[in-house]
Amino acid sequence: SETMKLLLSALALLSGSAAASTCESLPKKPHFTKEEETARWMAHVMDWGVLSTISTRNDTLAAPFGNPYSFVDGGCGADGGTGTIYFYASGMDQSMIDTETDPRVSFALSEASLNGDDALEQKACVVGPSGDPENPPCARAVFNGSLRKLDNDSDEFKTAEAAFFERHASMQDWPTDHSWFIGAIDLSDIWLIDIYGGAKTLDIDSYYAADLKY
């Protein structure tokens, strides 16, 4: 019955077994030998990571400052992913204050952030006898570059904003007096580990050229 369906949905949410991603259709994880494709997959499938900046706080001046941040690389669907990391950010946030002095940023993603998603969770990422977020087959990617503010009148801004409101729907209802803007990382380096044998530094052109398989 419809009542039973609703009850089962509620139980799934409470138990943490509901999908971690807001997209109904997502690309398949590439083989571990396809490093650039794996990094693109992570940038499209995941919803949040840790953004690090060069701190301007008096107590931590010039030290790394990490801050969890939601992001998108585009909307849902085969044509949505761009590979570009976008943030919907407030000018009042400490990370954004830091970038006014030094725009260099580092953004870290872990496949472990997908734990709890029946379709995406990897055993290698689950803390236990055979898994851990530091286990090399649990993919990690770090994107380095400079944060660039988008022009509010640009097509890039409109496309990114639509992607945020699709994939992070609550953002539409956030207070309007917090100096919101959309920033993008202009990439200079991508570091990836997704298997034993050490990390790789990826070619950025190959990263952007990679195709995601659905």
Side-chain angles (χ1 to χ4, degrees):
S1 68
E2 193 64 30
T3 301
M4 181 59 70
K5 289 180 181 178
L6 290 171
L7 179 59
L8 290 173
S9 297
L11 288 172
L13 289 169
L14 289 171
S15 65
S17 61
S21 175
T22 54
C23 293
E24 292 184 3
S25 177
L26 290 168
K28 299 175 182 178
K29 183 182 178 181
H31 191 267
F32 66 80
T33 58
K34 298 181 180 297
E35 290 96 351
E36 282 82 8
E37 287 184 23
T38 298
R40 276 291 302 273
W41 174 80
M42 295 175 75
H44 184 60
V45 168
M46 297 177 189
D47 292 321
W48 66 276
V50 176
L51 179 66
S52 294
T53 53
I54 306 300
S55 179
T56 56
R57 296 176 61 239
N58 289 334
D59 292 340
T60 57
L61 189 64
F65 179 78
N67 194 0
Y69 245 91
S70 298
F71 79 102
V72 298
D73 84 322
C76 297
D79 298 326
T82 67
T84 298
I85 305 291
Y86 293 105
F87 304 105
Y88 189 77
S90 167
M92 300 165 65
D93 182 76
Q94 183 60 47
S95 299
M96 299 304 115
I97 293 171
D98 291 345
T99 62
E100 293 293 333
T101 298
D102 190 333
R104 291 178 297 168
V105 297
S106 183
F107 191 56
L109 298 178
S110 169
E111 192 175 3
S113 70
L114 301 174
N115 288 356
D117 188 305
D118 293 338
L120 297 172
E121 180 178 283
Q122 298 289 328
K123 291 182 179 179
C125 297
V126 179
V127 176
S130 60
D132 194 272
E134 285 192 46
N135 190 14
C138 183
R140 285 172 277 158
V142 181
F143 301 82
N144 283 279
S146 295
L147 190 74
R148 165 178 57 89
K149 286 186 177 182
L150 273 57
D151 182 342
N152 288 14
D153 295 323
S154 68
D155 290 339
E156 185 180 18
F157 178 94
K158 294 171 184 175
T159 300
E161 183 182 52
F164 275 112
F165 291 169
E166 176 186 24
R167 301 187 65 174
H168 299 274
S170 68
M171 289 181 173
Q172 298 179 77
D173 300 320
W174 287 359
T176 58
D177 58 351
H178 280 48
S179 304
W180 299 107
F181 67 91
I182 294 177
I185 300 180
D186 289 332
L187 293 172
S188 60
D189 185 82
I190 305 172
W191 178 98
L192 175 82
I193 185 166
D194 65 346
I195 197 62
Y196 304 108
K200 305 288 193 304
T201 299
L202 306 186
D203 180 77
I204 293 176
D205 289 338
S206 298
Y207 165 80
Y208 277 115
D211 289 325
L212 299 178
K213 305 295 190 298
Y214 280 77

